């Protein structure tokens, strides 16, 4: 294999972690991992499997995060037992990155904020939205609990080198249109298995203009197209975000201009409207102008997709001085305690509460139909989360419409699915 | 290893919330998970599934969350094998890792109906429809994955590797 073989950034990161000059698409390789995570749903199984390996210690107690975020604050006795098991394992192993309620946030908002996942890293997590960290230029991918048990023990894991699909976005975004609309539009275009077993690389002038929060939203939903990872090149925005947070050195990798892609898809982003994904697939997208009058019962603004500062800010701009529709319950959930505190300090908390919304402490809660806003039969919810599968947020006959924070907030006021222009 | 079982047939994009809804994820008890397997798309499944039955499904089976509870629930419900046109990536890994046999074979999926009986030779990847007499060949596993399957899953595979390294 020649050293000058052009590679994508996914290939370069994986090659570096396999101790190789280069790797080829389709190869099965054994890679070193920089960071491993699990949550209150997936960690209990990972811990049980870890115990079967006959290893005394985790590979590195500073490179593992255990995040109690899904059913927290514990919704019932069983959830409390799961978190207890995780907490005891964290203490027994001396795992540094374990947070109690009051400090914890939603894993994929918390870890980048804390500077624990960095450019050029290989990150594996027992959570499918681990791909979120592609926003900072990491190769990050979700796995199951057994994989994570092995990664916690060995600091290594097997992977297949994925082909990459390159997306090039050009053009200026319309008012209120953001990362969520770009990614929903893209998933609508290629389908929920459009990037199965592949990596998605998001590039182009529109992406260069997009905020870090917008990039996190896009990388987060790469899995909704079946992708293994969703990657962004490191630029000045990434550097600015990472510089004030990084807790260790890191390396950035860039795709070679001649790198081979499985597919290159060009998108004129200036034509993209606000998007809504109808039940029951994230690919079932429509531009807002083609959405009929659909009355709703609930709005959720939060999650690892859209629970960051700019998401809350966008929602607050719309809710300021307005009231949530009398028939609607609006639930706002900041992704982390830092975001929550800022929302209090900068007056967003007051805007939400005065509008008649609920402001919750960080939790996954309603996103997976856990607690804090579970839907009854026949109820409809506009949600900034990432999945609208049958029964995802509650009863099998409930419906979830996915959208960005602008549509969610506007819909909360209107009482039906709509955008800020309809207010 | 040969399997013979009755077919449960499902469509494309069966997600992990359909296989095991999140409201049951406050436990990792295999028996409890199995009792709610497929509940939201097929309430009869958990009641009527028999040991040795086979799930046959379309594209992207097991998409959605990384919950290993999904293949665990299927395996604990007695299903001997899942055959799909394609599998979602994380589900594929999870199934191999916990020792739930899975095969990718679009032709077999298209030619199989619910309630028919299939005979599957896992080692050779051969699927035979006993109702129609048709025979299909699934995509073979790479050697490395076969080694994990042979060991009975990733944990046992890794444990053996660790033991070898120590001795
Ligand atoms: S917010 Fe939703 S999608 Fe994100 S980690 Fe939590 S449950 Fe999963």
């Amino acid at each position: 294999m020649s050293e000058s073989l052009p590679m994508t950034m996914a290939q370069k990161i994986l090659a570096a972690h396999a101790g190789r000059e280069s790797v080829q698409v389709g190869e099965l390789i054994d890679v070193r991992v920089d960071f491993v995570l699990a949550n209150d749903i997936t960690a209990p199984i990972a811990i049980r499997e870890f115990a079967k390996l006959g290893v005394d210690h985790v590979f590195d107690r500073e490179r593992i995060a255990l995040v109690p975020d899904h059913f927290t604050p514990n919704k019932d006795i069983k959830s409390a037992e799961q978190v207890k098991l995780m907490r005891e394992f964290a203490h027994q192993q001396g795992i540094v990155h374990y947070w109690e309620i009051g400090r914890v946030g939603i894993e994929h908002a918390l870890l980048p904020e804390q500077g624990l996942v960095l450019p050029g890293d290989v990150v594996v997590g027992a959570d499918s939205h681990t791909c979120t960290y592609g926003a900072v230029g990491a190769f990050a991918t979700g796995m199951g609990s057994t994989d994570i048990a092995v990664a916690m023990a060995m600091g290594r894991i097997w992977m297949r080198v994925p082909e990459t699909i390159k997306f090039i976005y050009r053009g200026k975004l319309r008012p209120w249109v953001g990362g969520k609309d770009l990614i929903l539009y893209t998933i609508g275009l290629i389908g929920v298995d459009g990037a199965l077993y592949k990596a998605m690389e998001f590039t182009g002038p529109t992406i260069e203009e997009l905020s870090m929060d917008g990039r996190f939203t896009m990388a987060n939903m790469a899995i909704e197209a079946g992708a293994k990872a969703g990657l962004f090149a490191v630029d000045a925005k990434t550097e600015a975000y990472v510089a004030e947070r990084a807790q260790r050195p890191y390396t950035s990798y860039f795709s070679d201009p001649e790198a081979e892609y499985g597919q290159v898809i060009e998108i004129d982003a200036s034509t993209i409207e606000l998007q809504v994904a109808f039940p029951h697939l994230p690919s079932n997208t429509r531009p807002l102008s083609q959405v009929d009058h659909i009355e709703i019962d609930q709005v959720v603004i939060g999650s690892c997709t859209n629970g960051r500062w700019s998401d809350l800010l966008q929602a607050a701009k719309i809710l300021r001085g307005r009231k949530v529709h009398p028939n609607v319950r609006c639930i706002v959930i900041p992704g982390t305690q830092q975001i929550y505190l800022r929302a209090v300090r900068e007056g967003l908390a007051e805007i939400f509460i005065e509008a008649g919304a609920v402001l919750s402490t960080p939790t996954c809660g309603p996103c997976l139909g856990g607690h804090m806003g579970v839907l009854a039969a026949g109820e409809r919810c506009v949600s900034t989360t990432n999945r609208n599968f049958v029964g995802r947020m509650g009863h099998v006959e409930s419906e979830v419409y996915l959208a960005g924070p602008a549509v969610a907030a506007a819909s909360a006021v209107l009482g039906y699915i709509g955008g800020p222009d309809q207010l | 290893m040969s399997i013979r079982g009755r077919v449960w047939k499902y469509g494309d994009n069966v997600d992990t919330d359909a296989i095991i809804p999140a409201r049951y994820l406050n436990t990792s008890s295999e028996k409890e998970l199995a009792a709610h397997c497929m509940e939201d798309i097929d309430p009869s499944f958990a009641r009527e599934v028999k040991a040795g039955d086979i799930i046959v499904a379309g594209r992207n089976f097991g998409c959605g969350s990384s919950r290993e509870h999904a293949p665990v629930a299927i395996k604990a419900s007695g299903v001997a094998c899942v055959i799909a046109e394609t599998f979602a990536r994380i589900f594929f890994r999870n199934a191999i890792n916990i020792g739930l046999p899975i095969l990718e074979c679009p032709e077999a999926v298209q030619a199989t109906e619910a309630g028919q009986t299939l005979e599957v030779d896992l080692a050779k990847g051969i699927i035979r429809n006993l109702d129609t007499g048709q025979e299909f060949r699934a995509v073979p596993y790479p050697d490395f994955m076969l080694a994990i399957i042979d060991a009975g899953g990733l944990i046992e595979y890794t444990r053996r590797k660790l033991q070898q390294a120590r001795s």
Side-chain angles (χ1 to χ4, degrees):
Chain A
M1 242 173 276
S2 103
E3 270 184 47
S4 59
L5 193 72
M7 291 192 287
T8 62
M9 70 183 282
Q11 282 173 291
K12 283 190 185 173
I13 297 172
L14 292 178
H17 287 75
R20 300 257 299 268
E21 289 287 348
S22 67
V23 291
Q24 282 174 336
V25 167
E27 264 190 278
L28 287 167
I29 53 170
D30 183 44
V31 295
R32 181 175 60 73
V33 299
D34 296 291
F35 209 84
V36 182
L37 74 137
N39 57 50
D40 49 329
I41 287 179
T42 57
I45 297 185
I47 292 164
R48 186 181 74 199
E49 297 304 310
F50 179 87
K52 293 181 190 162
L53 285 169
V55 176
D56 295 334
H57 299 291
V58 296
F59 83 106
D60 187 336
R61 59 191 201 89
E62 292 177 16
R63 300 282 187 127
I64 294 171
L66 295 176
V67 192
D69 58 352
H70 278 60
F71 293 143
T72 50
N74 298 326
K75 70 160 178 156
D76 56 16
I77 296 168
K78 284 181 178 173
S79 332
E81 297 289 348
Q82 299 217 113
V83 172
K84 184 172 172 225
L85 194 138
M86 192 163 128
R87 174 189 302 122
E88 285 172 355
F89 180 77
H91 289 170
Q92 177 230 331
Q93 289 285 331
I95 287 169
V96 176
H97 306 295
Y98 172 80
W99 302 262
E100 280 302 345
I101 315 302
R103 277 84 81 197
V104 80
I106 299 173
E107 48 196 346
H108 310 308
L110 183 66
L111 267 50
E113 177 192 274
Q114 298 290 315
L116 295 173
V117 289
L118 299 169
D121 278 0
V122 167
V123 183
V124 296
D127 190 278
S128 59
H129 293 103
T130 300
C131 54
T132 309
Y133 318 135
V136 295
F139 188 94
T141 191
M143 293 184 175
S145 297
T146 297
D147 272 318
I148 290 313
V150 169
M152 282 200 300
M154 317 288 285
R156 307 189 71 87
I157 197 81
W158 71 268
M159 277 195 203
R160 192 178 150 277
V161 180
E163 179 178 290
T164 299
I165 306 178
K166 181 180 186 171
F167 294 86
I168 308 169
Y169 300 85
R170 292 181 219 279
K172 196 168 146 34
L173 292 180
R174 296 182 181 190
W176 300 106
V177 170
K180 184 62 161 284
D181 305 289
L182 288 180
I183 192 67
L184 284 178
Y185 177 87
T186 306
I187 297 165
L189 197 69
I190 66 170
V192 286
D193 61 353
L196 193 59
Y197 303 127
K198 296 176 184 157
M200 300 167 88
E201 194 178 316
F202 303 107
T203 71
T206 317
I207 299 299
E208 284 159 29
E209 290 297 314
L210 196 67
S211 68
M212 283 309 291
D213 283 1
R215 297 178 191 180
F216 280 119
T217 302
M218 290 186 75
N220 176 270
M221 286 192 74
I223 177 72
E224 261 60 69
K228 180 170 193 163
L231 294 146
F232 288 79
V234 173
D235 65 6
K237 283 189 179 152
T238 330
E239 292 287 359
Y241 180 89
V242 170
E244 54 185 54
R245 298 176 162 88
Q247 306 204 3
R248 55 187 158 84
Y250 58 88
T251 318
S252 305
Y253 298 89
F254 301 91
S255 292
D256 291 319
E258 327 77 55
E260 213 179 295
Y261 290 94
Q263 221 181 328
V264 178
I265 298 177
E266 302 204 31
I267 292 171
D268 179 358
S270 68
T271 63
I272 297 178
E273 282 182 50
L274 288 165
Q275 301 284 310
V276 180
F278 275 49
H280 292 283
L281 282 178
S283 57
N284 204 1
T285 53
R286 289 187 207 173
L288 191 60
S289 62
Q290 287 173 33
V291 175
D292 299 333
H293 186 86
I294 298 172
E295 289 183 2
I296 56 165
D297 306 281
Q298 182 167 303
V299 165
V300 170
I301 298 166
S303 85
C304 60
T305 317
N306 284 115
R308 294 186 183 78
W309 175 249
S310 20
D311 303 315
L312 297 196
L313 199 61
Q314 203 179 41
K317 274 189 193 148
I318 293 166
L319 289 172
R320 175 184 213 131
R322 294 196 171 95
K323 293 281 180 210
V324 171
H325 189 276
N327 298 344
V328 176
R329 316 173 295 262
C330 180
I331 301 164
V332 183
I333 311 178
T336 66
Q337 290 284 127
Q338 263 187 30
I339 300 168
Y340 189 46
L341 181 61
R342 192 166 169 199
V344 171
R345 283 203 180 124
E346 300 194 21
L348 271 60
E350 206 173 314
I351 293 172
F352 294 135
I353 295 168
E354 279 195 338
V358 165
L359 182 63
S360 161
T361 50
T363 180
C364 294
C367 170
L368 78 164
H371 64 158
M372 294 293 299
V374 175
L375 301 173
E379 288 193 326
R380 295 197 194 98
C381 178
V382 174
S383 181
T384 68
T385 54
N386 46 43
R387 288 192 177 132
N388 54 355
F389 301 149
V390 172
R392 172 75 180 181
M393 289 182 77
H395 197 280
V396 282
E397 284 157 30
S398 60
E399 292 182 348
V400 180
Y401 295 78
L402 303 176
V407 169
S411 303
V413 175
L414 294 164
Y416 57 87
I417 302 176
D421 292 348
Q422 287 154 263
L423 290 169
Chain B
M1 196 172 134
S2 189
I3 293 163
R4 181 188 285 212
R6 196 175 46 128
V7 169
W8 292 82
K9 180 99 191 260
Y10 299 105
D12 292 340
N13 304 313
V14 173
D15 60 80
T16 52
D17 278 273
I19 298 170
I20 182 76
R23 57 184 178 276
Y24 303 119
L25 296 185
N26 55 4
T27 177
S28 37
S29 145
E30 297 185 358
K31 234 176 90 194
E32 261 181 81
L33 294 171
H36 301 291
C37 191
M38 297 293 185
E39 189 170 287
D40 287 357
I41 57 164
D42 184 356
S44 69
F45 178 85
R47 262 197 325 268
E48 292 167 21
V49 67
K50 295 210 175 50
D53 282 0
I54 293 170
I55 290 179
V56 175
R59 281 161 49 180
N60 204 24
F61 186 85
C63 62
S65 96
S66 70
R67 63 190 70 161
E68 205 161 288
H69 312 65
V72 166
I74 292 175
K75 194 181 173 198
S77 70
V79 166
C81 174
V82 184
I83 301 167
E85 292 187 36
T86 55
F87 289 91
R89 212 202 105 243
I90 304 176
F91 185 93
F92 185 93
R93 286 188 79 108
N94 287 347
I96 301 280
N97 287 346
I98 67 154
L100 170 68
I102 55 173
L103 292 173
E104 281 191 351
C105 186
E107 300 78 23
V109 172
Q110 278 146 24
T112 303
E113 312 270 341
Q116 292 182 330
T117 304
L118 295 184
E119 195 174 70
V120 182
D121 182 330
L122 281 178
K124 297 206 185 89
I126 294 173
I127 301 163
R128 203 169 295 127
N129 187 322
L130 298 184
D131 289 74
T132 65
Q134 283 173 290
E135 196 176 287
F136 308 93
R137 214 165 258 278
V139 182
Y141 293 113
D143 289 348
F144 165 72
M145 270 180 228
L146 269 180
I148 296 178
I149 296 167
D150 281 349
L154 184 67
I155 293 295
E156 190 51 29
Y157 172 85
T158 309
R159 213 179 56 82
R160 284 185 202 167
K161 254 189 18 191
L162 282 167
Q163 261 171 2
Q164 278 166 10
R166 278 195 211 109
S167 60

